[in-house]
Each structure stands twice: as structure tokens, then as C-alpha cells.
Amino acid sequence: MGDKVHYSELGLVNTRDMFKRAVGGGYAIPAYNFNNLEQLQAIVGACAETSSPVIIQVSKGARDYANETMLRFMAMGAVKMAREMGSNIPICLHLDHGDSFELCKACVDSGFSSVMIDGSHLSYDDNVALTRKVVEYAHAQDVTVEGELGVLAGIEDEVVAEHSTYTKPEEVEDFVRKTGVDSLAISIGTSHGAYKFKLKEGEQVPPLRFDILDEIERRIPGFPIVLHGASSVVPEYVGLINQYGGKMEGAVGVPEEQLRRAAQSAVCKINIDSDGRLAVTARVREFLAQNPGEFDPRKYLGAARKELIKLIKHKNQAVLGSAGKA
Ligand code: 13P
């Protein structure tokens, strides 16, 4: 374990102000997952260029992969990089899907400015108790907390959920009041990973359950809602991956129009991981197939980073509406 550090020393901010502005402004803050240098450079560079506030988020698996101390310095470097680009965008470092009080505490202590405690698989009362405990610890350091009600299907790092359970709107007021969370992740039909919907030939992606979202918004007006599993699984990338030796048949995501609609509502944080992974894999596969003699990682990771920058700018400008909102 490293030394204790407060996020403000790293130049980071929590989500409170970002969300307040996003809820009133009809857009959503992008929350991009990262676990390596090129991803972080691309996220921060693209958000600085489009002047978008940003949440850089790490899952438990990414934290194990990248090393906690390394992450802290990467986040600090990301803030410096944005400032050197002449940009003052707010940057939040967030733990995605924290699964225990201990993990959330460790992240608060190591400079995260926001944490998610995901007790959605627990009983309602246990979810409330665990979330409350994390909120008490985090708020003492002015770190914001995201809770979750309802279960998303799919694969999130090593965590697999077979079936989704939609959020029950009748639980949200009580949950928010008892736990003191700053934002709430809900389940309205999205799922983690690249295979979100099993479609038969000619079938369209079913619409998200906007009726549930509307009912939640009616019960807790103005409260920040978070949408997980929000990658579009960009068909161009799936095509490139399959063209250059990959095998990703039937990969489907959430159409951009539906995400745009969500971003204009009470949804003020949209989580995107799979699309970034696909962009990187597509360009790396293509590059290596077209340049079989090349062995400099900067070449193929450079191509991946360039694509990621393009993807993130597009998301900020055309999907989430966060461009120009910093
Ligand atoms: P995707 O797999 O759709 O990118 O979702 C990521 C996510 O919700 C991370 O918490």
C-alpha cells in the first residue's frame, strides 16, 4: 500500500459540480475506462481538444493490472498533460464497480476522487448498508460515491452476470435517502461487453426501457443517473477485427440515437469501455496484418491511440453532447 494522498493534491475533482451542470444542461459526462498509457493519453487528449469534462475510470481488474501507485501518477500526469495543452477541463479519477468497502477505502486513500460501490447483486438491505458505509468514509474526504440498483447482464472484467434485472423505480427514493449516494447507476436494458443483444436475422436492437428511466426521474427529479454498458460496439471496428483474423460474430451494442436520448435526460454519466477496446484491437490487428515486419510497439499502439482519439471526440461531440461543456 502506498502513502495516503488526497485527490486535490493530484489536481483532480470529484463529480459533484460536473453532474450538477450536466443534469441541468442536457448532456452526459463521458466515463472512459483505461488501463494503459496510450488509452489515457487518448482520453485526456481528446477531451482537452473537445473541451469536455471527463471521468477516467478504472475497474478492480484494471487496478490490479496497472498497479495502484502507477495509476496515481498516471492520473496526475494526465492532469498535467491537459494543462500543458492549455486546457482546464475538470478530470475525475473514478473506481468502476468497487466490490467491497476495503477496495473503495483503498482507492479513496490513494487519490481517487470518486468511487462506485456496486452492491447490486446483494439483497436490498445489504446493498443499502454497504453503500452507506462507503458513503460515510468517502464523504469525509469529499470523495463522491456512485451506487447501483438493478443488475446488468454481461461481462465486466472477471465479473459475469447471466441475466439482467431492471431497476425497480419504487426503490430509488428510499435507496438514495438512506445511503446518501451522489449518483445512481440503473439497469434499463444495457449490458456490459460486446455482445449486448442476441439478434436473429433482420431483427433490430430493442429500445432501452426509457419508461423506467422516466419513472425514476419522476421520483428523484434532478438526481444524477448513471448508464453502464453504453458502448455502441461500433460496427466498423467489429468489421475490421473480423477482416484481420479476429472472430467477433454477433457483436452488437446500443445505437447512438438511444444514447443521445439518454444523455439529454437525467442520465449524466455514460460508461464506455468496450468501444475503446474495439478501436484499439481493430487498428492493432490491421496494422500488424499490413506491416508484418514491424515490431516497434509505438507503431501499432500509435495507430490504436490515433483511432481512440477519433472515437472519443466523436462520442463527446455527437453522442454525449459534452464537447464544449468544460
Ligand atoms: P461497455 O462494455 O458497454 O463499454 O460498458 C462499460 C461499463 O459500463 C463499465 O462500467
Side-chain angles (χ1 to χ4, degrees):
M1 270 283 280
D3 308 326
K4 260 191 173 190
V5 62
H6 190 257
Y7 67 82
S8 55
E9 294 171 50
L10 307 180
L12 299 163
V13 296
N14 68 23
T15 57
R16 201 165 291 129
D17 191 46
M18 283 185 185
F19 286 172
K20 201 154 86 194
R21 296 178 59 194
V23 170
Y27 61 94
I29 309 286
Y32 296 112
N33 289 70
F34 77 99
N35 43 54
N36 72 21
L37 173 71
E38 285 79 6
Q39 286 173 311
L40 187 56
Q41 287 175 320
I43 295 165
V44 172
C47 288
E49 273 189 59
T50 53
S51 200
S52 168
V54 66
I55 296 171
I56 50 174
Q57 62 183 12
V58 255
S59 63
K60 181 171 181 259
R63 183 171 171 271
D64 292 342
Y65 176 84
N67 176 284
E68 180 180 295
T69 307
M70 181 64 90
L71 275 175
R72 173 195 302 182
F73 286 100
M74 282 174 81
M76 202 159 82
V79 175
K80 282 233 177 238
M81 180 185 137
R83 303 300 172 251
E84 280 164 16
M85 287 174 72
S87 166
N88 210 20
I89 54 166
I91 301 176
C92 164
L93 176 64
H94 175 77
L95 169 68
D96 191 22
H97 291 283
D99 62 353
S100 67
F101 171 77
E102 290 70 26
L103 175 59
C104 291
K105 178 180 181 297
C107 287
V108 169
D109 291 348
S110 76
F112 282 61
S113 54
S114 174
V115 292
M116 175 190 193
I117 177 68
D118 181 359
S120 60
H121 52 286
L122 302 172
S123 71
Y124 179 78
D125 288 342
D126 288 350
N127 187 2
V128 168
L130 176 61
T131 306
R132 175 77 219 156
K133 191 172 169 191
V134 170
V135 167
E136 274 167 14
Y137 188 82
H139 279 185
Q141 301 299 324
D142 205 23
V143 168
T144 41
V145 180
E146 176 182 326
E148 179 162 340
L149 272 178
V151 180
L152 267 71
I155 303 176
E156 171 70 23
D157 276 338
E158 60 266 35
V159 184
V160 183
E162 290 284 334
H163 301 289
S164 67
T165 316
Y166 294 125
T167 305
K168 296 187 187 110
E170 60 275 19
E171 289 181 349
V172 297
E173 286 158 279
D174 186 66
F175 186 83
V176 164
R177 186 169 38 81
K178 281 190 180 145
T179 59
V181 280
D182 302 279
S183 60
L184 181 68
I186 59 162
S187 174
I188 56 165
T190 61
S191 61
H192 291 119
Y195 301 88
K196 300 191 190 299
F197 307 98
K198 282 198 180 68
L199 301 178
K200 296 198 191 89
E201 182 100 15
E203 243 177 19
Q204 298 282 317
V205 170
L208 297 178
R209 292 289 304 271
F210 285 102
D211 55 321
I212 298 179
L213 176 60
D214 290 347
E215 181 58 19
I216 291 170
E217 194 173 352
R218 199 185 64 75
R219 285 170 183 263
I220 44 172
F223 193 80
I225 300 297
V226 178
L227 197 61
H228 282 242
S231 278
S232 293
V233 187
V234 180
E236 181 200 343
Y237 298 147
V238 176
L240 278 171
I241 289 171
N242 289 336
Q243 182 184 343
Y244 290 107
K247 201 168 183 323
M248 294 197 68
E249 279 132 34
V252 193
V254 185
E256 288 188 346
E257 316 79 71
Q258 295 202 36
L259 296 169
R260 184 78 205 102
R261 181 172 164 193
Q264 283 164 341
S265 73
V267 170
C268 68
K269 172 176 180 264
I270 288 191
N271 284 13
I272 298 161
D273 187 1
S274 296
D275 276 344
R277 295 179 182 200
L278 290 167
V280 168
T281 304
R283 289 299 171 209
V284 168
R285 277 193 179 279
E286 180 190 56
F287 185 92
L288 292 176
Q290 291 178 349
N291 302 275
E294 191 56 70
F295 69 105
D296 181 345
R298 289 174 299 183
K299 296 282 171 54
Y300 53 83
L301 294 178
R305 184 175 63 189
K306 197 166 155 208
E307 188 61 47
L308 210 41
I309 292 172
K310 198 173 115 197
L311 171 80
I312 291 167
K313 283 178 157 180
H314 168 74
K315 297 260 184 207
N316 295 352
Q317 285 162 343
V319 186
L320 285 85
S322 63
K325 305 292 186 186

